[in-house]
Amino acid sequence: MNQSYLRSVYLRLAGTVMVVVMLALAANAYLSHRAFERALAPEMARKVASGGASARSLVLKAMEHQIGFRELYGVEQTFDELKAAIPEISYIAVTDPQGVILYQRFSPPDGAAEHFRKPSVLAAMSTADLSPPAVRVGNQYVVSMPIVTPQQPVGILHIGVAVDFVDKIILEMLYDVVVVLVVALFLTLELLNFMAGTKLAAALKSLGRTIEAGAGGDFAATRAHASDTAFGGVLGLLEAARARVNAAYDALARDIEVGRRCPAHERPPGLTAAHQGLQALARRYRFGVAVPSTRVDEGDLLAKVRAPLFIFILAEELTRPFLPGYIKSLLVPIPWLSAEIVIGLPIVLFMLIVAIGQPFLGAYSERVGSRRAMLVGAGITALGFAASAFADSVLDLLVWRSLCALGYAMVFVAAQGHVLEHATTANRARSFALFVGAIMVATVCGPPIGGILADNIGERSTLAVAALLALGSIAAIRLLPGLDRSDPQRAPAKTPRLRELGGLLLNHRFMAITGLAAVPAKILLTGVCFYLVPLYVLSIGSSQSVVGRILMTYGVVMVVVAPIAASLATSRERMEWLVSAGLVVSGMGGLLLMAGDDVGWVFAAIFLVGLGQSLSIAAQSALVREHCDAEVAAMGEHAVYGVYRLIERLGNALGPLLAAVLVMTFGYRASFVMTGALVML
Amino acid sequence: MNATRPQVILVAVLVCLFAVGMAGFLNFFKYRSNAERILKERLVVTGTSIENSIRSSLALGLQFADLGTLPGMLERERATDDLILSIEVFDTDGKPLYSTDRLRATRNVPDAWLAAARQAGGADWFVKSGTESAAGIAIENSFGLVLGYLALRYSEEEVNRSTMKVARELAVSALGVFVAAAALASIVLLAVMHRLSRDLAAVEAALRSADPMRPSEGVRRGPFGRALRRFLDSARGAEAEIALLRVNLERGAER
């Protein structure tokens, strides 16, 4: 009851916030439209006046050569040239001193002829170089420039600009505003979960537990303080109802006991029946005093890790759309290495450190506690981001990104460790969903915001924002409990041994899943999403905001489809089907670039990559268990999955390297296609 | 429930702050980029008309360094736009050939200009550097050979002043929208929370009523109705059985 009810409460709260945010964004767009109109219309008028000045000087030059004002030749050609120089121009006309149109080109605004004859407009001819402000006429802003010879005023040059040039500017921002809306939705859910959800969930859980206990016949008295929770009043009454039943039973039991202590001849005749009834009652219901639970609410402890993890991963995800471009701007010649490979190096190094470092950092995290490991990791990462913002060349950036990788790996394994520490066998899957959920939501929110920030405040400032976020995550990490192992029976983390690694590398069943499914999928992910897309989209003249939006598509598809696909992976056949379909679909994403080369195709490609990855990601891990039963029995699940993750993450490192080599040899589009084909094969 | 309300309001305020803040941020940068684009295009339009005139003169066989009508034309063009501080024509080494500013005619153009001009090749170039900001155009002869550059110097401070004015206006409107949105979101969220409170209050009222074992229709249909009914049925069943046992016990005792 409490889960579905809580979900409905969440949805109602989030839906309400979203409606208000949409209204706010619409109001903001309306107000900014007005501000833009007020500020940009005069600027646009000055611009067209600059162009108009040269057209006017041509007219005056012709008149200097004694050509009559009404007999000018080539005026329309001059108007066309002016329009070519200033495409925003919608209409150009020259009128005589009475405001009668002599020459005109393009589409006149409604009421133009009447406007030109107005005394206020004709008064402009009194000053030779006057450039009056733009006046709205119909659907255009019209600038009227007097044409005055040294002898007399001869007419006016009118230039119109369609008022919708401001609309176009506002519409250009529409995609970014939609991005803000999507991110706001996820942010709302995260904040609700972090700030109010834990309390609400705890209160509902408490309420649900009390009701379920009573409904299940458990009336044993508890020592919980109902008033401490959000639903204290109701809980108190429910507990009172349970206590009343418990007290009635207790009183009856006492009376029966008193009766039983009496001599046999004094005992009431119904005593034996009542005693038997009492025993039957005790078998069906629970009375007395409940054993108090000493365990802290693990759900609460688990939920607490989500917020810091989200903020931390968000910091790294901010860099996705602009990092390759930033590296490119810091390129220095490195002997024996092409520019394409050097651009990929910081990404490769990052992935390599995360892959190799995680097993060792897992042991470190166990030793010092997940909270401390997360604090250290977030600190190192913040330092890495801050230093990356001040990088001079790609060489020092390599060092700073390595720091980011070390910190990232540390926080990742420590957060994973925290989940393992506080999850029970019953809620492990849900706990990991919480962990993966934080990462996925950050994957949705980070890239588009990073792209927008990089476009507007620059890559270096965005890296500084990432550093601030990493620092911000420290504040949230500090709320986590210290060194605490709630499940002492859980085996400690260990790094995969060489023997285990060798044994699994030679195992064809294990390698079929790892080498032919997991690694290609990761190569495609990092090669395409982290390397090819940011560089290719910029190379075709698009912006980093667009890269961010494209990468957000991947995250959104993963968030929506991955849980559905995971729920479908219930049998080995289904898992195999999902993995195969996933690889084919994501490979088709790469192949899609054969069809076209514009941004729309890249969007479609990333949609397919996301779809394919979300179909296969959960089934892949599950298949390892299905196919490697013997190995799991011999080496243990931890060892098998440790090696699986290690090899899979090495695929992450291989992706950008392979993509760089392909770009160097065949160019961007062919690299997309070949990476896709590799995965499909 | 009361403890959760401030947190829910805080969520609404933070989300509105993020959304309106980001939208305001986007508006400002969009305005700035468009205002700068319009300004650059405006300078380039003026520059292009001068460049066309120079080209015409060169096509007539005049020397680039010896265009007698050019200083007058530069002065006229400078006078048409109050943003332009000076118009300068310089050769490929940065040596000034013509300038509307006599003081600048004797010294080489800033290094940043020359670097930007060379980097742009034949395209338009721009330098942002306070009062030394400039929009520039390459001057080529009929064979496409770059002979020099034309720069229209302007003050960036003037541009910044107008940008800041619009920034203030956008900030004020964004603040207004934020306050209104945060207030509206808080009120509506409180209404949603009130509904939750009402559900709980109905349960509480039912439990406090004279006959809690018979909850009202509203409570039974509410979100807690089914679970509550099971709870009450169970409690009622247990109490009835205890009562029956007690009756049996006491009836036996009376006999």
Side-chain angles (χ1 to χ4, degrees):
Chain A
M1 181 277 288
N2 53 333
Q3 275 307 318
S4 59
Y5 185 70
L6 185 62
R7 202 175 301 126
S8 80
V9 170
Y10 266 21
L11 287 177
R12 265 187 274 167
L13 293 175
T16 306
V17 174
M18 276 307 97
V19 170
V20 175
V21 165
M22 273 171 74
L23 289 174
L25 291 178
N28 200 57
Y30 172 74
L31 291 172
S32 55
H33 185 284
R34 283 178 49 184
F36 278 26
E37 212 166 35
R38 271 198 302 274
L40 291 179
E43 292 297 326
M44 187 57 85
R46 285 192 200 106
K47 180 181 156 186
V48 296
S50 294
S54 62
R56 180 171 59 178
S57 66
L58 274 177
V59 171
L60 290 170
K61 195 177 264 182
M63 291 185 74
E64 275 174 28
H65 291 94
Q66 308 304 317
I67 300 171
F69 188 53
R70 290 165 192 273
E71 290 106 41
L72 292 172
Y73 176 75
V75 175
E76 291 186 344
Q77 190 192 340
T78 305
F79 287 173
D80 287 345
E81 283 168 9
L82 191 55
K83 165 89 175 163
I86 308 173
E88 291 92 347
I89 289 177
S90 303
Y91 175 65
I92 313 174
V94 171
T95 55
D96 69 8
Q98 284 73 45
V100 176
I101 298 170
L102 299 178
Y103 310 96
Q104 64 175 337
R105 193 91 171 107
F106 316 118
S107 315
D110 294 336
E114 295 78 27
H115 172 75
F116 297 157
R117 285 196 294 270
K118 281 182 186 167
S120 57
V121 177
L122 295 174
M125 283 185 291
S126 56
T127 317
D129 286 327
L130 181 77
S131 182
V135 176
R136 174 123 186 208
V137 181
N139 58 349
Q140 293 182 15
Y141 292 112
V142 175
V143 181
S144 301
M145 304 168 69
I147 306 171
V148 182
T149 64
Q151 293 78 34
Q152 59 180 333
V154 290
I156 299 179
L157 170 69
H158 305 274
I159 306 175
V161 176
V163 291
D164 66 358
F165 87 94
V166 179
D167 298 350
K168 285 176 189 158
I169 294 170
I170 298 289
L171 276 176
E172 276 171 26
M173 291 196 301
L174 189 68
Y175 289 122
D176 285 339
V177 171
V178 170
V179 163
V180 169
L181 195 65
V182 172
V183 174
L185 172 65
F186 283 102
L187 200 65
T188 306
L189 292 171
E190 283 303 313
L191 284 173
L192 273 176
N193 189 46
F194 177 61
M195 299 182 79
T198 316
K199 270 192 179 174
L200 267 178
L204 276 167
K205 195 186 275 181
S206 187
L207 186 66
R209 218 166 21 216
T210 305
I211 293 179
E212 284 306 316
D218 182 358
F219 300 104
T222 55
R223 285 183 191 140
H225 299 287
S227 58
D228 289 351
T229 70
F231 310 145
V234 176
L235 263 174
L237 289 168
L238 289 168
E239 288 295 352
R242 285 176 67 202
R244 195 176 60 237
V245 178
N246 198 34
Y249 172 86
D250 198 36
L252 179 67
R254 259 200 322 271
D255 288 349
I256 290 173
E257 196 52 39
V258 169
R260 288 183 67 203
R261 281 189 192 149
C262 292
H265 63 277
E266 287 179 17
R267 285 179 191 168
L271 183 69
T272 311
H275 185 241
Q276 282 167 352
L278 191 74
Q279 282 177 326
L281 209 59
R283 278 195 293 275
R284 280 189 290 125
Y285 300 105
R286 275 184 66 192
F287 300 103
V289 178
V291 181
S293 169
T294 52
R295 238 174 118 80
V296 190
D297 191 344
E298 299 292 359
D300 192 20
L301 290 174
L302 278 168
K304 275 186 177 165
V305 80
R306 185 166 170 133
L309 189 64
F310 167 72
I311 301 169
F312 180 81
I313 303 283
L314 186 70
E316 179 55 35
E317 290 297 327
L318 282 185
T319 67
R320 297 277 184 238
F322 68 83
L323 192 62
Y326 181 58
I327 301 167
K328 201 174 178 181
S329 71
L330 296 174
L331 272 184
V332 287
I334 297 178
W336 309 105
L337 285 178
S338 75
E340 288 81 3
I341 296 199
V342 177
I343 292 170
L345 273 184
I347 309 171
V348 172
L349 193 64
F350 183 96
M351 298 295 173
L352 204 62
I353 290 171
V354 171
I356 296 172
Q358 282 198 11
F360 302 100
L361 294 169
Y364 166 77
S365 167
E366 289 228 326
R367 205 170 58 245
V368 300
S370 56
R371 179 176 175 270
R372 193 168 161 197
M374 283 179 81
L375 283 172
V376 173
I380 291 174
T381 307
L383 182 69
F385 280 132
S388 298
F390 293 100
D392 268 338
S393 75
V394 72
L395 297 175
D396 58 326
L397 186 70
L398 276 170
V399 178
W400 309 133
R401 286 298 294 162
S402 301
L403 278 185
C404 292
L406 181 69
Y408 184 92
M410 210 179 265
V411 172
F412 191 92
V413 287
Q416 205 169 22
H418 177 90
V419 172
L420 280 171
E421 272 168 28
H422 299 288
T424 58
T425 316
N427 69 0
R428 183 160 295 167
R430 205 157 58 81
S431 308
F432 270 100
L434 186 134
F435 177 78
V436 174
I439 296 170
M440 290 320 301
V441 173
T443 311
V444 172
C445 300
I449 297 296
I452 291 171
L453 290 176
D455 266 348
N456 292 302
I457 62 171
E459 291 99 340
R460 289 181 192 272
S461 302
T462 310
L463 281 165
V465 172
L468 286 176
L469 277 175
L471 282 176
S473 73
I474 291 177
I477 293 167
R478 287 170 67 90
L479 298 173
L480 292 174
L483 187 59
D484 170 39
R485 176 177 282 231
S486 47
D487 186 358
Q489 288 174 344
R490 192 169 66 82
K494 63 184 182 79
T495 53
R497 291 180 195 148
L498 277 177
R499 191 167 47 82
E500 293 165 347
L501 195 64
L504 286 167
L505 285 176
L506 294 173
N507 184 307
H508 69 275
R509 288 189 307 276
F510 177 79
M511 283 311 290
I513 303 159
T514 313
L516 298 178
V519 170
K522 292 294 177 189
I523 287 176
L524 187 77
L525 170 68
T526 56
V528 169
C529 294
F530 300 169
Y531 183 89
L532 286 176
V533 168
L535 289 173
Y536 176 66
V537 172
L538 289 185
S539 78
I540 57 172
S542 215
S543 65
Q544 292 170 130
S545 301
V546 175
V547 178
R549 276 180 231 140
I550 293 173
L551 295 182
M552 184 178 82
T553 313
Y554 174 86
V556 171
V557 175
M558 284 292 282
V559 167
V560 174
V561 183
I564 302 168
S567 67
L568 293 174
T570 49
S571 66
R572 183 188 283 206
E573 289 72 28
R574 280 188 172 194
M575 287 173 198
E576 285 169 349
W577 188 90
L578 281 167
V579 171
S580 312
L583 289 172
V584 170
V585 170
S586 53
M588 275 165 60
L591 294 181
L592 211 59
L593 264 284
M594 278 200 298
D597 60 356
D598 64 19
V599 168
W601 290 106
V602 185
F603 256 112
I606 296 307
F607 175 82
L608 286 183
V609 170
L611 185 64
Q613 297 268 339
S614 48
L615 285 176
S616 62
I617 200 159
Q620 263 170 26
S621 320
L623 263 186
V624 173
R625 186 73 176 80
E626 288 287 324
H627 281 269
C628 304
D629 243 355
E631 289 75 18
V632 168
M635 299 177 198
E637 202 173 59
H638 278 294
V640 173
Y641 272 96
V643 176
Y644 170 74
R645 297 279 176 223
L646 177 69
I647 298 172
E648 187 187 39
R649 283 170 188 146
L650 287 174
N652 276 339
L654 207 56
L657 199 61
L658 183 71
V661 172
L662 289 173
V663 170
M664 192 175 71
T665 321
F666 304 104
Y668 285 114
R669 280 179 71 192
S671 304
F672 275 101
V673 173
M674 292 171 88
T675 316
L678 170 85
V679 172
M680 285 179 84
L681 289 174
Chain B
M1 226 36 224
N2 289 336
T4 317
R5 278 195 184 117
Q7 285 164 330
V8 171
I9 289 171
L10 189 58
V11 170
V13 170
L14 286 176
V15 172
C16 290
L17 182 67
F18 166 77
V20 178
M22 276 301 286
F25 168 84
L26 283 171
N27 283 334
F28 170 70
F29 281 102
K30 200 70 185 175
Y31 167 78
R32 199 175 73 169
S33 68
N34 275 284
E36 280 180 1
R37 178 181 59 81
I38 292 171
L39 181 121
K40 284 174 183 172
E41 286 170 358
R42 169 176 146 198
L43 294 172
V44 167
V45 164
T46 306
T48 307
S49 93
I50 301 170
E51 189 221 357
N52 286 338
S53 173
I54 295 173
R55 274 188 178 222
S56 305
S57 303
L58 293 175
L60 291 171
L62 297 174
Q63 290 296 308
F64 182 47
D66 194 23
L67 303 173
T69 55
L70 190 56
M73 185 195 185
L74 294 183
E75 191 53 54
R76 270 200 309 278
E77 291 290 349
R78 193 201 63 76
T80 60
D81 195 335
D82 52 9
L83 179 77
I84 301 171
L85 296 176
S86 67
I87 303 177
E88 292 166 42
V89 177
F90 54 95
D91 68 12
T92 49
D93 294 325
K95 194 179 142 204
L97 300 174
Y98 308 93
S99 176
T100 56
D101 185 339
R102 282 183 193 167
L103 290 173
R104 297 177 69 91
T106 53
R107 59 170 192 256
N108 276 9
V109 297
D111 291 341
W113 290 16
L114 198 57
R118 284 176 177 162
Q119 201 178 356
D124 303 336
W125 50 269
F126 304 95
V127 172
K128 281 176 79 175
S129 174
T131 52
E132 295 290 323
S133 301
I137 293 172
I139 299 168
E140 295 174 349
N141 65 12
S142 318
F143 304 105
L145 183 73
V146 176
L147 300 175
Y149 303 96
L150 170 80
L152 296 104
R153 188 168 68 90
Y154 67 97
S155 170
E156 207 195 357
E157 281 146 27
E158 176 85 23
V159 180
N160 286 344
R161 256 198 303 278
S162 64
T163 304
M164 288 319 291
K165 195 178 150 203
V166 177
R168 267 196 300 276
E169 196 178 335
L170 289 173
V172 168
S173 63
L175 184 68
V177 170
F178 161 68
V179 170
L184 180 65
S186 303
I187 292 166
V188 183
L189 281 185
L190 284 180
V192 174
M193 293 297 284
H194 178 69
R195 208 171 139 187
L196 176 61
S197 303
R198 214 176 47 202
D199 289 342
L200 289 167
V203 175
E204 199 172 329
L207 290 169
R208 284 188 198 280
S209 68
D211 185 5
M213 299 303 180
R214 288 189 195 285
S216 68
E217 189 64 21
V219 175
R220 268 185 285 169
R221 283 188 181 173
F224 302 102
R226 238 173 101 184
L228 188 68
R229 195 187 173 95
R230 282 175 50 229
F231 175 92
L232 294 175
D233 283 348
S234 170
R236 186 168 48 190
E239 273 190 324
E241 285 187 48
I242 293 167
L244 188 67
L245 288 175
R246 178 164 290 284
V247 168
N248 287 342
L249 180 69
E250 285 168 4
R251 193 176 292 161
E254 280 168 15
R255 277 182 209 161

